[in-house]
Amino acid sequence: MEKHELANQINEVLAEEFEIEVSDIHPDANIKDTLQLDSLSLVDMVALIESTFGIKIKGTEVIQIQTFGNLYDFLYERIIA
């Protein structure tokens, strides 16, 4: 799977779950701001990503993932590499 294909899949899953347009998601955009996440919905997002992609994300890793680009890179390394 190419990185842009993974990014598109992530965007579609998040846009559907958080009821926003896929076009609102950009690599440099802040995840919390774009998805309007509070602490509870952040946990929901992490659980959604873990179940969708079959991985585990540690709390320390979540803190480092600020933008969608960070998320794409993190998941690409965990899933593909």
Side-chain angles (χ1 to χ4, degrees):
M1 176 183 295
E2 296 289 323
K3 191 172 190 177
H4 72 275
E5 293 171 326
L6 177 62
N8 289 339
Q9 186 178 0
I10 294 165
N11 293 350
E12 289 173 16
V13 168
L14 293 176
E16 182 177 332
E17 178 69 22
F18 292 96
E19 299 178 350
I20 65 167
E21 296 295 323
V22 172
S23 60
D24 293 338
I25 301 174
H26 304 282
D28 294 331
N30 182 282
I31 294 173
K32 290 180 183 178
D33 294 342
T34 304
L35 301 180
Q36 300 179 359
L37 300 179
D38 58 20
S39 57
L40 183 58
S41 55
L42 177 62
V43 171
D44 291 341
M45 183 199 76
V46 170
L48 174 66
I49 291 171
E50 288 178 337
S51 66
T52 301
F53 297 99
I55 63 165
K56 288 288 184 190
I57 303 173
K58 297 176 185 173
T60 55
E61 294 169 326
V62 172
I63 294 169
Q64 297 173 356
I65 300 170
Q66 299 293 317
T67 67
F68 289 98
N70 297 150
L71 181 61
Y72 305 152
D73 292 341
F74 175 81
L75 290 176
Y76 188 78
E77 290 173 12
R78 295 286 297 271
I79 296 170
I80 307 301

